[in-house]
Amino acid sequence: MRRVAVAGVGMTRFGRSDLTLVELFAEAAMEAVNASNIKARDVQALFLGNVLGDFEEGQLNLAPLCANELGMANEVPATRVEGACASGGVAIREALAWVAAGFYDIVLAGGVERATAMDTPLATRTFAMNSDARYEANTGVTFPAVFAMLARLYAQTHGLSLQTLKEQMALVAVKNHRHGARNPLAQFQKEITVEMVLQSAMVADPLQLFDCCPFTDGAAALVLASEDVITRLTDKPVYILGVGQGSNGALIRQKNPARIRAREAAAGQAFRMAGLKPSDVDVVELHDCFTIAEILASEAMGFFPYGEGGRAVEKGETTLGGRLPVNPSGGLKAKGHPIGATGVAQACEIVRQLRGECGERQVEGARIGMSDTLGGDLATVVDIIYGV
Amino acid sequence: MAYPLTGRQFYEGLKQGRLLGLKCEECGAHTAPPKMACAECGSVSVTVTGLSGRGVLRTFTVVRVAPEGFQAPYIVAVSELAEGPWLMGNLEGVAADQADESLMGRQVRVGYRILPPLDYAAGEVVTITFSLE
Ligand SMILES: [Zn+2]
């Protein structure tokens, strides 16, 4: 297996966009291509994460349209991948495998979503289609509702009062908005307070509006290259050291998900492949679709013991300047969550952090970074470790 | 290999007042809703069996922002059946604004509800319900 590195990365401003899916992705992808000192026709394959193009624009089979838009050759296989909100992470892992195996030297991985093209009821319905349609989504369960139920289970499992947990969750939102205020591409670039979180509208109790990530339009892309050619593309390669992807069934099949098995599997694979352990990681972008989700992820990835992720937030360990900065980009919470693109946007942030390009949100001296992308009811998790 | 108990058969059972599941002949575990194989050990040596329909409410939320086709507010809950499996359903008989932490751990009984026709659904949509005992 060959080593694989990231050459150029590209990402649009996240938020609300009038561009179509193809146009949005083209902007991010061409930025990544240009940053790799290649032409689009040098790319040998495209893996594109997108979840809801059909509902957003009535657009299916998006990947070849995007490849053609960019000017890629007819010989290039262009494939859409879908793993709910983890689609972008799945796209990177697919691209990596083809390069590592020696089929291709230069592959484009990316993702795009235009969630704001749907109104809130339709967006809420289509997001909920990532739950089990037969035995879960038919209850009217929404994604906030899934994580609301997880929050209650978490508090009870670890003997925390719901009020204590809610305050820890609010601190996650405050931290990620503070980080997002330092990211010119973030959807929200304003700081918020604990009071604002606790006074915001109830979405699915105990989750309030500011516990939830927004609906977002956006795209991100990166060029992966084999170790054989990477030095022709960039003098700042960021190597993929480890990768993992885990799967699980419907939430009810997982019973009490005090441990998130698919995430433990993904993180475990990535750490074993990299020959690293959680304490080796300098900076993390993880899947904070809801504030409770950041606490759950930070534990299942191995950074904190189960039940102590919230305490770590209280102690400031996960803020910029803390022991392990989590979501310096602002995370899904403040940077935004264009679901098909999120895993790739996380990769963009880690690559820029490891290259020292992040300005006032830079994690000083970061050499090892990790991303974590989750899809469905804890059903798909992709974890990737990057290093320079 | 034939599916041992389809989702359609599972819901038809509920409509006749029976909560159906699978019993594993290898490990003894119960699986509900049904799957191709035992949810605990993966064995395909399973037989269809009736379950008690009684359980304990393990977690819940009040949905205030609903998907298209649903009217908020309503309660979604997950309960653990006496036989072990976990089910998701709507808690009935409790007003959404009255739902509080005292619901956690309450004994419930499983029922069902037929939804009005829904876009993007595979035929009739039946949902599990819970009522407090
Ligand atoms: Zn079994």
Side-chain angles (χ1 to χ4, degrees):
Chain A
M1 210 166 61
R2 301 189 297 176
R3 295 214 305 158
V4 179
V6 182
V9 300
M11 179 179 148
T12 65
R13 169 85 198 262
F14 280 7
R16 195 176 278 272
S17 175
D18 292 329
L19 298 184
T20 67
L21 289 161
V22 169
E23 292 162 354
L24 252 184
F25 181 70
E27 286 198 351
M30 205 54 96
E31 183 187 351
V33 165
N34 290 340
S36 305
N37 301 302
I38 56 172
K39 301 288 184 206
R41 62 176 175 274
D42 297 323
V43 174
Q44 295 170 290
L46 166 64
F47 291 93
L48 178 66
N50 174 254
V51 186
L52 295 169
D54 32 9
F55 291 96
E56 290 159 352
E57 292 184 356
Q59 183 63 68
L60 286 169
N61 208 18
L62 191 60
L65 297 180
C66 287
N68 178 265
E69 182 82 11
L70 291 160
M72 292 183 189
N74 296 119
E75 285 71 21
V76 170
T79 309
R80 172 188 173 194
V81 298
E82 189 268 302
C85 301
S87 298
V90 176
I92 296 174
R93 186 177 168 282
E94 291 300 315
L96 166 86
W98 287 91
V99 177
F103 276 86
Y104 306 119
D105 280 312
I106 300 174
V107 173
L108 184 63
V112 63
E113 208 65 58
R114 267 187 86 208
T116 80
M118 303 179 285
D119 61 16
T120 296
L122 180 61
T124 303
R125 173 87 202 280
T126 56
F127 276 52
M129 289 178 182
N130 294 293
S131 293
D132 189 322
R134 299 168 302 169
Y135 304 121
E136 294 185 333
N138 53 343
T139 65
V141 74
T142 61
F143 264 90
V146 166
F147 280 87
M149 291 194 289
L150 289 171
R152 274 208 169 79
L153 275 173
Y154 179 92
Q156 187 170 67
T157 300
H158 297 297
L160 290 169
S161 75
L162 202 56
Q163 193 53 41
T164 300
L165 179 59
K166 274 186 64 66
E167 285 165 14
Q168 292 174 342
M169 285 159 41
L171 288 171
V172 171
V174 169
K175 168 183 75 73
N176 289 351
H177 275 256
R178 190 166 59 239
H179 293 175
R182 295 170 161 81
N183 183 352
L185 297 181
Q187 184 162 1
F188 299 131
Q189 298 178 28
K190 269 206 245 169
E191 300 208 17
I192 59 170
T193 64
V194 167
E195 291 68 34
M196 287 166 73
V197 179
L198 296 177
Q199 286 166 13
S200 60
M202 196 60 82
V203 174
D205 82 287
L207 298 190
Q208 296 177 248
L209 185 63
F210 278 46
D211 286 301
C212 306
C213 69
F215 293 119
T216 305
D217 306 336
L222 48 83
V223 172
L224 292 183
S226 68
E227 57 187 336
D228 304 335
V229 305
I230 186 68
T231 51
R232 286 200 272 120
L233 276 58
T234 178
D235 52 10
K236 284 182 162 184
V238 173
Y239 283 88
I240 296 184
L241 306 179
V243 63
Q245 181 174 337
S247 308
N248 211 333
L251 193 69
I252 51 169
R253 306 296 185 187
Q254 304 177 41
K255 302 194 171 177
N256 188 350
R259 295 178 56 183
I260 301 171
R261 305 287 178 168
R263 180 172 269 133
E264 288 182 4
Q269 289 169 24
F271 280 121
R272 277 193 300 279
M273 181 173 163
L276 295 171
K277 54 189 184 305
S279 60
D280 294 321
V281 176
D282 301 315
V283 56
V284 182
E285 285 282 309
L286 56 71
H287 203 88
D288 60 324
C289 48
F290 301 95
T291 50
I292 181 66
E294 173 161 323
I295 294 171
L296 296 174
S298 70
E299 296 174 2
M301 293 172 76
F303 297 120
F304 305 106
Y306 277 104
E308 295 186 20
R311 283 280 297 140
V313 179
E314 282 177 343
K315 289 192 283 186
E317 293 187 28
T318 58
T319 193
L320 274 171
R323 179 167 71 83
L324 177 67
V326 172
N327 288 325
S329 70
L332 285 54
K333 180 72 197 72
K335 181 184 61 199
H337 183 25
I339 53 179
T342 280
V344 186
Q346 292 173 321
C348 289
E349 176 72 10
I350 294 295
V351 166
R352 286 171 172 158
Q353 287 284 349
L354 299 185
R355 288 174 171 164
E357 298 171 350
C358 285
E360 54 176 342
R361 67 177 195 282
Q362 179 64 44
V363 177
E364 287 308 323
R367 297 189 61 81
I368 305 287
M370 186 164 178
S371 67
D372 166 270
T373 328
L374 174 137
D377 295 359
L378 319 178
T380 300
V381 182
V382 180
D383 281 13
I384 306 177
I385 301 172
Y386 299 84
V388 290
Chain B
M1 187 179 179
Y3 205 82
L5 174 67
T6 65
R8 183 59 52 201
Q9 291 166 329
F10 172 78
Y11 285 121
E12 288 303 320
L14 266 185
K15 285 158 73 174
Q16 290 157 27
R18 296 191 72 206
L19 176 62
L20 298 176
L22 305 174
K23 184 168 176 19
C24 179
E25 289 167 12
E26 290 195 22
C27 78
H30 288 89
T31 297
K35 284 185 27 169
M36 186 71 208
C38 171
E40 297 299 322
C41 76
S43 168
V44 292
S45 296
V46 292
T47 48
V48 175
T49 185
L51 303 177
S52 66
R54 290 194 152 83
V56 173
L57 190 147
R58 288 298 179 209
T59 189
F60 72 94
T61 185
V62 179
V63 175
R64 305 241 170 227
V65 179
E68 194 173 278
F70 295 82
Q71 288 296 323
Y74 50 87
I75 304 172
V76 176
V78 173
S79 299
E80 180 176 4
L81 293 174
E83 293 88 352
W86 289 44
L87 298 178
M88 189 180 290
N90 295 115
L91 181 64
E92 295 196 326
V94 176
D97 289 331
Q98 303 296 314
D100 63 22
E101 304 315 302
S102 68
L103 290 173
M104 299 285 279
R106 289 287 300 272
Q107 297 283 327
V108 296
R109 178 182 283 274
V110 174
Y112 74 97
R113 187 167 59 98
I114 299 171
L115 265 56
L118 194 62
D119 286 343
Y120 320 117
E124 183 185 57
V125 182
V126 186
T127 298
I128 288 169
T129 60
F130 304 119
S131 51
L132 298 177
E133 295 240 70

